[in-house]
Amino acid sequence: MMSQMPQPTALSRCPSCEEPLEAGDRFCGACGYDLSAVPEPPQDHPTIAMNGSSTRTSEAVASLDWPLAPEPASSDTPAPVHRATDIRGTDSGGSELPHPDTESPGAQQPGGQPSGVRFDRPPEPDEYPLAPPAEAPAGPVADPRTADLGAPVTPPAGTKLCVACRSGQVDSDGYCENCGHAQPRERDHMEQELGAVAAVSDRGLRHHRNEDAFAISSTALPDGSPAVVAIVCDGVSSATRPDEASLAASRAAAEALLAALPLGTHPQQAMHEAILAASEAVNSLAEAPPAHEEHAPHQNAPACTLVGAVVTPALLIVGWVGDSRAYWVPVDRSSPPARLTEDDSWAAQMVAAGLMSEAQAYADERAHAITGWLGADAYELEPHTASFKPDRPGVVVVCTDGLWNYAEAAEEMAEVVPLDAAERPLHSAQVLVGHALDGGGHDNVTVAVVPFPAPPQGAGSA
């Protein structure tokens, strides 16, 4: 995590959300940040980790030479299986997507720009306006800076105690009825471990809320063998209610997989159908009124990206829409790591079309413009899936760009993943999130670590 330094004598803004502070504040009034231990502020420069000198990921993938996964016999229209050197995915009709090796270098959408582009990096304001408490508490209000904080206060059953003044109760809007401070949100930092998989999500150091979400679980296939599921979603910041979109998508995809896998559906086909279910869940949010009226004047369709993995004793399946990624890191590190997904982004299209090098594309301010997402205003839904059969143990890192911005190449990601990741997935996920926060934490950070092969049922899975 970030190193800590003594509290400055004059701190004008919160180091977490940059909310203006008053002299003597001990906690931020906007986000509840503890000002007694202030991390060093992130440097104000572009945060995209460049990869100009690293070996192209596809070269590393080519050396793996993983065998093909078997075609499912029970499905009339099985999703195609791809080698690690040919990760293209399939569209919703089962057709292969274009590949740079089979198209002319100048191929792109009509008009010279990829169609259906959405920018996920709107300019961030210096301050985030937060609504005041619904009504002022009756009677005189104690000043939390001079109040006696020594005596513990026990709140009534079913209520929360303010983290700032430690005496006021927290109302339904998340504000202290005594001092008015905003309380930390439940999704600011989340951790979960199920033995065979673990995930960690953090708000980061610059965003005022966490718009990422994850869902992890495990189930049994018809033959009794285990299947471990990890879904990670990243809300599109330029859309309305991105946090709701990511949560709905992650839950819907996980539920679809847990329902289909025990019935014998091939994992790759199940992943394809899970992405469609996640899309429907996000689409339904556009029909519902926003939970907060302040969003109404500029309401648009909620949207998010999705990446998921299913691990069995023999197969590794990944599926994605957008620019969240999955990486393969072998346990013995004697063979090269690999990136298992290809971004739906402006930068990826420029590289695929041969118009830019990878370093040039990701240095451009349009690099994070995504060309695929889940949402009612998506240009066209094209779920990508790929199936692999690794020949050695390893771990799958499923993450949002809040992590891979600081470890873009597969080799860089492998350097950050602890050597004991397969035995300690939760610790490894914590280390990876810490790496992103130490690098600046300019975005929400979410990562799931899934060991391969999936351990037998009863060996720590739940």
Side-chain angles (χ1 to χ4, degrees), residues 236-260:
V236 176
S237 297
S238 57
T240 298
R241 297 143 61 202
D243 52 334
E244 296 181 31
S246 62
L247 185 61
S250 61
R251 289 177 173 175
E255 291 172 359
L257 286 167
L258 294 179

Side-chain angles (χ1 to χ4, degrees), residues 201-281:
S201 181
D202 192 271
R203 187 186 68 183
L205 304 179
R206 299 293 295 271
H207 280 244
H208 70 292
R209 67 180 174 185
N210 189 358
E211 298 169 354
D212 290 354
F214 66 81
I216 59 175
S217 188
S218 62
T219 186
L221 302 178
D223 62 359
S225 60
V228 181
V229 173
I231 301 293
V232 169
C233 296
D234 184 356
V236 176
S237 297
S238 57
T240 298
R241 297 143 61 202
D243 52 334
E244 296 181 31
S246 62
L247 185 61
S250 61
R251 289 177 173 175
E255 291 172 359
L257 286 167
L258 294 179
L261 293 173
L263 299 178
T265 306
H266 187 275
Q268 189 171 1
Q269 183 66 31
M271 177 63 77
H272 181 94
E273 295 170 357
I275 295 176
L276 297 180
S279 175
E280 292 178 2

Side-chain angles (χ1 to χ4, degrees), residues 102-373:
T102 59
E103 293 200 30
S104 61
Q108 48 182 319
Q109 301 292 338
Q113 291 291 340
S115 60
V117 177
R118 186 166 201 163
F119 287 87
D120 190 24
R121 292 294 183 272
E124 294 189 14
D126 293 333
E127 300 180 3
Y128 293 99
L130 295 173
E135 59 183 25
V141 177
D143 187 344
R145 295 169 292 184
T146 60
D148 180 12
L149 302 180
V153 178
T154 302
T159 61
K160 294 182 179 180
L161 196 63
C162 175
V163 300
C165 68
R166 294 165 51 186
S167 60
Q169 298 179 20
V170 179
D171 62 19
S172 59
D173 293 327
Y175 291 87
C176 176
E177 295 178 344
N178 180 43
C179 66
H181 276 72
Q183 305 300 298
R185 298 176 178 90
E186 182 180 359
R187 289 177 62 177
D188 282 357
H189 186 87
M190 301 178 291
E191 297 185 2
Q192 187 178 6
E193 183 179 28
L194 297 178
V197 58
V200 176
S201 181
D202 192 271
R203 187 186 68 183
L205 304 179
R206 299 293 295 271
H207 280 244
H208 70 292
R209 67 180 174 185
N210 189 358
E211 298 169 354
D212 290 354
F214 66 81
I216 59 175
S217 188
S218 62
T219 186
L221 302 178
D223 62 359
S225 60
V228 181
V229 173
I231 301 293
V232 169
C233 296
D234 184 356
V236 176
S237 297
S238 57
T240 298
R241 297 143 61 202
D243 52 334
E244 296 181 31
S246 62
L247 185 61
S250 61
R251 289 177 173 175
E255 291 172 359
L257 286 167
L258 294 179
L261 293 173
L263 299 178
T265 306
H266 187 275
Q268 189 171 1
Q269 183 66 31
M271 177 63 77
H272 181 94
E273 295 170 357
I275 295 176
L276 297 180
S279 175
E280 292 178 2
V282 178
N283 290 351
S284 65
L285 295 178
E287 303 172 0
H292 304 287
E293 294 182 358
E294 63 265 23
H295 291 310
H298 51 86
Q299 181 182 3
N300 55 11
C304 69
T305 68
L306 180 148
V307 62
V310 175
V311 171
T312 73
L315 286 178
L316 162 59
I317 309 295
V318 294
W320 74 98
V321 172
D323 62 350
S324 294
R325 296 181 176 180
Y327 292 82
W328 163 258
V329 180
V331 167
D332 57 13
R333 309 299 170 96
S334 61
S335 60
R339 196 178 96 196
L340 305 178
T341 57
E342 291 291 339
D343 298 343
D344 289 322
S345 69
W346 179 90
Q349 287 201 359
M350 294 299 102
V351 174
L355 301 178
M356 288 184 174
S357 68
E358 189 169 15
Q360 291 173 332
Y362 281 99
D364 194 284
E365 62 181 4
R366 296 165 290 181
H368 279 279
I370 55 176
T371 56
W373 62 88

